[in-house]
Amino acid sequence: MRRAEHDLIGDREVETDVYWGIHTLRALENFPLTGLPLSSHPELVVALAAVKEAAALAHSDLATLPEEKVGAITRACREIRKGRLHDQFVVDVFQGGAGTSANMNANEVIANRALELMGHERGSYAVLHPNDDVNRSQSTNDVYPTAAKLALYAATGRLLDAMTVLRNAFAERGGVFAKTVKLGRTQLQDAVPMTLGQEFDAFALTVRDDAELIGLAAEVLLEVNLGGTAIGTGLNADPGFAHLAVTHLAAVSSVPVRPARDLVESTQGVGAFIRLSGALKQFALRLTKICNDLRLLASGPRAGLGEIRLPELQAGSSIMPGKVNPVIPEAVTQVCFDVVGADAAVCAAAQAGQLQLNAFEPLIVHHLLKSANRMRAACQLLAERCVEGIEADEERLRALVESSSGLATALNPVIGYQQATALARMCQATGIPVRELAAGSGLVSDEELSVLLDPWRLVHPA
């Protein structure tokens, strides 16, 4: 069975069992690009419903929509926000029109569900219309970015929770390894001693600092342009709508959104998206470095550094018996690379906007939601399947410290750089430990050596 619908292009028939209408149908035909429907971003679907509910409630306050319509629209929106009808949000995440198809998809689904709730058949738009009623006082150009910011705020909130889990996992290992002395390295060459705990505490601080940066970027998302309609001038919005709609949106979404300082700038500007993308990229780059460090520290177990042991999760080779790979850091690194690439796409789309609108917000929103959600999963995975189970090879760590020529650095204040260099070079050439060479040289007394080369003093010299 089909129902007939009409738009400016002409007439089309739509399957009666779907909630979307002719505008969504045309979008399905026009944008078969990624194969990813709008519903692949449930946060965005929920946010669109929240915006439409807030708009309806604003019209209730203004008495610009009949209460029967307001009630049906809000009920439909609340169902969607609870997870119903998400399968009806079918337009591709990539689309022309700056998100118009996404907004139309939402308008049609909400309108047709509202019609059902009022006792009418889907498509009875003379009773309740997707544009005239559900989209009243709105435009795609204020609805879509507002919903996008709500969705991204939710996604970044979950990411920040996962980053806390990862930070705590590193900090917990830092505590466990607080007295485990090891050799530090610079340029992949032996440096001076430190503790494994210091190394893991540094990882924890990196995650904490990047979480603060992402949190600051998320705060900027709270400024929305709802009520600005097409270009920020508020054309066709009922008087008082903008303030009421944003107030209701804060209550409906439990997110402290606020009106944009300048609706025209907010409609065309994508600064908040750029800022978030940059923060996500920074975290991705720094998490990649941490994952690389974990892989290096666990490399071997015989021909590499072999200082730590990562949890063994699966066989590492289809041909080499007994081989186990650092699969979790490898997988997380791939997510990080994906986020770095997404930032490049976001930046390209951001600079491509013209005049009063950026037509490429669908790409920006898709990549940012994908990046935030994948980084959340990556943090959770790295913490739970890797970091929490890391063990130290205490004997190897101690042996590497005792045999390192880097210990000669601690003798600089007593014998000078030149003499210390000679001891270091001799250690490298003969394999004889610096302590033994220094004791035999007569340059340092045994008592001084006991103090200068005490492992705890080496890592806590102050």
Side-chain angles (χ1 to χ4, degrees):
M1 296 288 291
R2 295 174 179 269
R3 64 176 187 267
E5 294 201 11
H6 176 81
D7 67 0
L8 81 165
I9 306 296
D11 297 323
R12 292 295 298 273
E13 289 189 339
V14 179
E15 296 289 342
T16 55
D17 62 346
V18 298
Y19 285 86
W20 43 263
I22 189 170
H23 295 289
T24 303
L25 174 62
R26 293 199 191 280
L28 284 170
E29 295 171 343
N30 290 335
F31 310 121
L33 296 171
T34 68
L36 296 172
L38 202 62
S39 59
S40 64
H41 294 307
E43 306 101 331
L44 185 55
V45 173
V46 168
L48 284 165
V51 170
K52 298 299 177 180
E53 181 178 341
L57 293 171
H59 287 303
S60 177
D61 292 345
L62 296 168
T64 45
L65 270 182
E67 283 302 315
E68 184 184 16
K69 290 184 178 182
V70 170
I73 291 171
T74 55
R75 284 178 63 192
C77 290
R78 287 168 187 171
E79 288 182 355
I80 293 167
R81 289 172 53 221
K82 290 179 180 178
R84 287 199 60 197
L85 301 180
H86 281 215
D87 62 333
Q88 298 298 305
F89 289 77
V90 293
V91 298
D92 199 279
V93 293
F94 284 2
Q95 53 193 257
T100 296
S101 296
N103 187 37
M104 290 293 215
N105 193 166
N107 289 333
E108 290 173 340
V109 172
I110 292 167
N112 281 309
R113 178 55 184 152
L115 284 167
E116 278 188 338
L117 293 169
M118 294 169 69
H120 298 279
E121 292 183 354
R122 299 173 206 172
S124 304
Y125 299 146
V127 178
L128 187 151
H129 198 277
N131 296 83
D132 295 336
D133 297 316
V134 179
N135 199 61
R136 184 181 176 112
S137 296
Q138 304 152 61
S139 162
T140 293
N141 303 344
D142 60 346
V143 167
Y144 187 82
T146 296
K149 289 178 177 179
L150 278 181
L152 286 167
Y153 190 81
T156 52
R158 288 189 290 272
L159 169 58
L160 291 172
D161 290 342
M163 291 176 75
T164 298
V165 172
L166 180 58
R167 181 198 71 198
N168 290 344
F170 280 127
E172 186 273 336
R173 289 290 89 185
V176 170
F177 302 141
K179 294 185 178 180
T180 303
V181 178
K182 60 159 287 178
L183 193 63
R185 294 176 183 82
T186 57
Q187 289 85 40
L188 293 179
Q189 305 299 304
D190 294 0
V192 297
M194 64 184 300
T195 68
L196 189 59
Q198 289 172 323
E199 197 160 28
F200 275 74
D201 286 342
F203 295 157
L205 182 58
T206 293
V207 177
R208 190 187 78 180
D209 284 352
D210 284 349
E212 289 182 3
L213 184 65
I214 291 170
L216 290 172
E219 288 298 312
V220 182
L221 297 169
L222 297 176
E223 187 172 301
V224 299
N225 69 326
L226 186 59
T229 67
I231 62 171
T233 61
L235 180 66
N236 288 353
D238 293 296
F241 171 81
H243 172 74
L244 287 169
V246 174
T247 300
H248 279 295
L249 184 59
V252 167
S253 63
S254 299
V255 174
V257 291
R258 56 184 181 271
R261 292 161 292 163
D262 185 314
L263 289 171
V264 173
E265 192 284 331
S266 186
T267 301
Q268 64 185 269
V270 291
F273 298 142
I274 297 171
R275 186 168 180 174
L276 177 60
S277 187
L280 291 171
K281 181 180 78 169
Q282 174 173 311
F283 179 44
L285 291 170
R286 302 221 295 168
L287 188 59
T288 297
K289 187 268 182 190
I290 290 174
C291 287
N292 284 338
D293 285 353
L294 294 177
R295 291 168 62 222
L296 278 171
L297 294 171
S299 60
R302 295 291 179 268
L305 300 186
E307 294 187 353
I308 63 174
R309 292 183 290 269
L310 305 184
E312 296 186 341
L313 301 177
Q314 61 185 62
S317 174
S318 61
I319 187 173
M320 292 174 279
K323 189 171 187 287
V324 178
N325 295 328
V327 291
I328 300 301
E330 289 172 352
V332 170
T333 298
Q334 290 176 71
V335 171
C336 293
F337 292 163
D338 189 57
V339 171
V340 173
D343 175 71
V346 168
C347 290
Q351 62 81 36
Q354 299 107 6
L355 304 176
Q356 277 67 62
L357 189 66
N358 188 305
F360 310 106
E361 284 188 11
L363 177 143
I364 292 172
V365 174
H366 167 66
H367 278 300
L368 287 177
L369 284 171
K370 181 185 71 171
S371 292
N373 286 324
R374 288 184 180 176
M375 288 301 285
R376 174 192 56 77
C379 288
Q380 207 78 39
L381 181 71
L382 185 61
E384 296 173 358
R385 300 286 289 171
C386 180
V387 177
E388 292 175 2
I390 290 176
E391 298 175 346
D393 188 331
E394 303 276 355
E395 290 185 11
R396 178 163 176 76
L397 289 167
R398 188 181 307 109
L400 289 172
V401 171
E402 291 174 354
S403 65
S404 172
S405 61
L407 291 182
T409 305
L411 305 181
N412 280 350
V414 176
I415 66 176
Y417 180 81
Q418 208 66 25
Q419 296 275 24
T421 298
L423 288 177
R425 297 294 287 172
M426 192 176 298
C427 170
Q428 294 166 3
T430 65
I432 300 173
V434 166
R435 180 188 291 271
E436 187 176 330
L437 291 171
S441 70
L443 296 170
V444 193
S445 68
D446 289 342
E447 292 76 13
E448 287 177 307
L449 282 173
S450 296
V451 174
L452 292 171
L453 300 184
D454 175 69
W456 196 246
R457 179 189 175 278
L458 291 172
V459 298
H460 295 94

